[in-house]
Amino acid sequence: MFESKLNKDNSDWKNSFLFQKWEKKFLNSGCKISDINCLGSSTYGGSLKTLFLSVKFVTPENHFMERSILIRNESVVIIPFRFLGNQPRFLCVMQRRITDGNISIEFPAGAVDDFKSPREAAVLELYEETGLKLKQKKLISLKENLRLSESLVDEIVHWYGCDIAMCDNKNDYMDELKIGKKKYGNMGEGEHIKIEFITLEKLKKIKSFHMRIALSFINNELSISCDDK
Amino acid sequence: MFESKLNKDNSDWKNSFLFQKWEKKFLNSGCKISDINCLGSSTYGGSLKTLFLSVKFVTPENHFMERSILIRNESVVIIPFRFLGNQPRFLCVMQRRITDGNISIEFPAGAVDDFKSPREAAVLELYEETGLKLKQKKLISLKENLRLSESLVDEIVHWYGCDIAMCDNKNDYMDELKIGKKKYGNMGEGEHIKIEFITLEKLKKIKSFHMRIALSFINNELSISCDDK
């Protein structure tokens, strides 16, 4: 299962795909690294999941800077929706989260591992977290390459829509009471997920970057009307 | 200046304000912590800035989980705007960022330290990063307590608007060429910031959570028209 370790005394992390991908991108900017230290890391199933580094570098403008950064894989978010008459309903995942211990309401999401494309990861996460089976070509591209944070986390997020009417097993999602009783998630990762159809009004009350951005995609890219406020 | 250290062998971090604030909130949810390890941390000027922990816990539903979390202070973002005739202009800060080494375009932002309110921090950050002097009561509250991430970072962000016409030194911001030549930021923290007035059209091209959310506040809460597609 989950393991964590401190890499104070070895530099294995320098050979990781995760680090090298970030380093290549960073050096492309013209910045030069003068020193780098691993402040911590977490691994999952033997492979590196998160690297926490302190980096000293010189910018092309010749400024010396020192910053810490958390390096992670890219990730995907999928917004599954269907219409009940004229009313849109959104399929959300509910689970306990470490940030405050409460049950959060989010759209299905997950990391893109080293050997998958974002679209492959999106189809897999959607199935793992909601049971919905969707062919890759039927994913709706909303926005690729959206940066989660400028100053702390090196994570790029790809957003997709999923019209549940396009899913192979759409009929299993007609009975809202029935789906509410099932459990989803990757048990090996200790995920315990419940799913529920949520109205637009309820989504608007959730105070998170995740939901605020999802609503902007729902409103603009998916053109599902949100009369804001 | 910036220092970083690994806290593998001591548990000073358990006595920190940062940790205790998170722990209190987390335990309030009904979750019970069974084990906790510090994977790394960063400090600034002697005080803890970021804690990276691995936490084993049991949920009220009796599920065992193990997750890593990055604990940080709350933060603020301020959206300064003014009108040039009917056209809105937004004052952005530009600086090199560790995430990809490139110069990013963002709104002024920063951490709320232990002894300040979010509004106090907002007024200070605004001044430090742009030179704008605004009285606290003239900050426009957009949305308080917006969660940055559900799964990784314990950071709550408070968003404010700033009508530059309400600033004490608004006249210094009429000549756009002049402000572009000045430098801002906290030199002690190695900040090198340039500021620039940006159009709505240009803001829309920036692919970040930060800017996507800012645009949603500009459009909805500030009612500055964005004709999105």
Side-chain angles (χ1 to χ4, degrees), chain A residues 2 4-6 8 22 25-26 29 31 38-42 50 52 54-55 57 59-61 63 65-70 72 96-104 106 143-154 157 159 183 189-192 207-210 212-213 216-217 220-221 228-229, chain B residues 2 4 6 8 22 25-26 29 31 38-42 50 52 54-55 57 59-61 63 65-70 72 96-104 106 143-154 157 159 183 189-192 207-210 212-213 216-217 220-221 223 228-229:
Chain A
F2 181 94
S4 59
K5 58 176 177 176
L6 291 165
K8 194 177 181 178
W22 172 79
K25 184 175 61 180
F26 186 76
S29 71
C31 290
C38 184
L39 300 176
S41 66
S42 74
T50 312
F52 187 33
S54 171
V55 185
F57 60 102
T59 70
E61 300 79 24
H63 293 139
M65 297 174 87
E66 184 165 2
R67 295 286 183 272
S68 49
I69 181 175
L70 206 76
R72 300 226 297 178
R96 292 263 167 203
R97 286 299 205 177
I98 181 71
T99 39
D100 63 4
N102 291 319
I103 292 173
S104 76
E106 298 156 51
K143 194 76 91 181
E144 312 263 346
N145 308 324
L146 213 56
R147 183 172 289 287
L148 172 64
S149 153
E150 280 80 5
S151 59
L152 175 72
V153 188
D154 161 53
V157 188
W159 292 78
K183 282 190 174 181
E189 293 178 22
E191 282 186 339
H192 300 274
K207 300 217 272 183
S208 65
F209 276 43
H210 175 98
R212 187 91 194 182
I213 289 178
S216 117
F217 289 132
N220 298 315
E221 279 76 358
D228 266 287
K229 263 170 266 171
Chain B
F2 181 94
S4 58
L6 290 166
K8 193 176 180 178
W22 172 80
K25 183 174 63 180
F26 186 75
S29 70
C31 291
C38 184
L39 300 177
S41 66
S42 73
T50 312
F52 187 33
S54 171
V55 185
F57 60 102
T59 70
E61 300 80 24
H63 293 140
M65 296 174 87
E66 184 165 4
R67 294 287 183 271
S68 50
I69 182 177
L70 206 76
R72 300 226 297 177
R96 291 263 167 204
R97 287 299 205 177
I98 181 70
T99 38
D100 63 5
N102 291 319
I103 292 173
S104 76
E106 298 157 51
K143 195 74 93 181
E144 313 262 346
N145 309 322
L146 212 58
R147 183 171 290 287
L148 172 64
S149 153
E150 280 80 6
S151 59
L152 174 72
V153 189
D154 161 54
V157 188
W159 292 77
K183 281 190 174 182
E189 293 180 21
E191 282 185 340
H192 299 273
K207 300 216 272 184
S208 66
F209 277 42
H210 175 98
R212 187 90 195 184
I213 290 178
S216 116
F217 289 131
N220 298 314
E221 279 77 359
S223 301
D228 259 294
K229 261 170 251 170

Side-chain angles (χ1 to χ4, degrees), chain A residues 213-229:
Chain A
I213 289 178
L215 281 170
S216 117
F217 289 132
I218 289 168
N219 194 16
N220 298 315
E221 279 76 358
L222 292 173
S223 301
I224 300 177
S225 79
C226 286
D227 52 298
D228 266 287
K229 263 170 266 171

Side-chain angles (χ1 to χ4, degrees), chain B residues 151-168:
Chain B
S151 59
L152 174 72
V153 189
D154 161 54
E155 184 174 335
I156 298 293
V157 188
H158 306 271
W159 292 77
Y160 301 98
C162 158
D163 182 347
I164 294 175
M166 295 292 148
C167 288
D168 298 343

